[in-house]
Amino acid sequence: MFSFSRFTRPQALAVCALPVAALLAVTAFAPLPFAVAQPGSTANVLGEHEGKPVLTVSGVPTRRTSGELRMTTIVATGPQTDNYLGDVIDGWFRTDRAVMPKDSVYPVGDDVKEVEKHNLGDMKKSQDEATEAALRYLKANGVADTDKVRVKADLGKIGGPSAGLFLSLGIIDKLDGDGSGGDLTGGRKIAGTGTIEADGEVGPVGGVALKTQAARRDGASVFLVPEDECADAQAELPKGLRLVPITTLKGTVESLRALEKGGKVPSC
């Protein structure tokens, strides 16, 4: 039987430290199951992305818009990229990086084509629900001929559901603006994020602290954030960016109208 009683205290500590040191050495050179993310691109849904219109609305007359509605993204290390202890520690201590479990970023595994297919599938579903939510809202607010509206959305290879809210807002702005002849944006650069359900409910998306940085970098002064993610958005909020919490499409439009007219606007 092995006994530590044969060793002095310093000797015992040294013996205990050996397996810990070995474990740390192995960890330092072994890939870890984490992805490292950073602020990604933004895209104005009222304009073009990669040379193509993001939203093409047909079947009824549309309005000329001003201002911008910028959906935001994050960029994470790829599903087949290995991140090591140094990468993870660096990501933890940088304000423009976030460390996340790899399976939360790539739930379908590490096959690049499968990941891309999954993300684009999420985007297509999001586009359909965004269109339905916008048209339901417009019909409920007396806009005629919503049954004639056809919408095509094109964000290239940007995947996932987080552009849903902004696609809905873009459709509303192109067809009805603020409802009284003005722009939904009030001429501002409005950025943000959020999923959308067909009934107009807005859902959380994750990565908002990085998305606020992308928004401010690209000139936005207002950021629409799902209410449940206010605390995350405030964590690294860039100077000059105003947070507006949202829960529904209707409430979002009301907040943008109030912002345009100088009324009371919710805040985080």
Side-chain angles (χ1 to χ4, degrees):
M1 175 181 265
F2 183 81
S3 173
F4 280 107
S5 62
R6 297 164 46 200
F7 296 96
T8 64
R9 181 180 176 81
Q11 288 173 329
L13 289 174
V15 170
C16 290
L18 286 174
V20 175
L23 179 61
L24 289 174
V26 170
T27 303
F29 294 101
L32 299 176
F34 294 101
V36 180
Q38 61 184 319
S41 62
T42 70
N44 175 26
V45 301
L46 297 174
E48 295 186 345
H49 176 67
E50 296 179 349
K52 297 180 181 179
V54 175
L55 282 173
T56 303
V57 181
S58 58
V60 296
T62 58
R63 324 173 44 254
R64 184 186 296 273
T65 61
S66 68
E68 296 180 2
L69 287 168
R70 287 197 164 270
M71 53 81 64
T72 55
T73 69
I74 62 173
V75 178
T77 50
Q80 295 182 340
T81 300
D82 290 331
N83 286 300
Y84 298 88
L85 184 61
D87 303 311
V88 172
I89 292 174
D90 179 62
W92 271 329
F93 286 97
R94 289 181 58 166
T95 59
D96 61 344
R97 297 287 189 275
V99 177
M100 298 176 287
K102 186 176 281 190
D103 58 7
S104 72
V105 181
Y106 302 110
V108 295
D110 62 0
D111 183 277
V112 174
K113 290 185 178 179
E114 282 298 315
V115 169
E116 184 174 299
K117 181 180 178 181
H118 174 79
N119 288 342
L120 291 177
D122 278 352
M123 174 59 80
K124 178 61 170 64
K125 181 182 177 183
S126 177
Q127 291 171 4
D128 293 342
E129 292 186 334
T131 299
E132 186 172 351
L135 296 182
R136 282 189 186 185
Y137 171 86
L138 291 167
K139 185 175 182 179
N141 284 272
V143 176
D145 297 327
T146 55
D147 58 320
K148 297 179 181 179
V149 175
R150 299 293 178 266
V151 178
K152 178 183 176 182
D154 188 347
L155 280 164
K157 291 188 176 182
I158 294 177
S162 65
L165 170 66
F166 271 68
L167 293 175
S168 288
L169 292 174
I171 294 167
I172 292 170
D173 203 17
K174 283 179 174 288
L175 292 176
D176 195 44
D178 66 356
S180 57
D183 292 300
L184 198 55
T185 64
R188 296 177 174 85
K189 287 186 179 182
I190 309 287
T193 191
T195 63
I196 193 79
E197 299 291 335
D199 64 1
E201 182 179 352
V202 175
V205 293
V208 293
L210 297 178
K211 290 180 178 181
T212 60
Q213 295 178 49
R216 191 64 183 136
R217 178 199 65 208
D218 290 354
S221 58
V222 176
F223 191 90
L224 306 178
V225 58
E227 188 173 57
D228 290 344
E229 296 183 298
C230 269
D232 291 341
Q234 288 174 316
E236 302 293 344
L237 186 65
K239 185 178 180 180
L241 189 64
R242 179 178 183 175
L243 293 179
V244 177
I246 50 174
T247 57
T248 66
L249 179 58
K250 179 181 178 182
T252 304
V253 174
E254 289 173 351
S255 290
L256 290 175
R257 285 174 175 165
L259 189 67
E260 178 189 1
K261 300 180 185 304
K264 186 176 180 179
V265 181
S267 61
C268 288

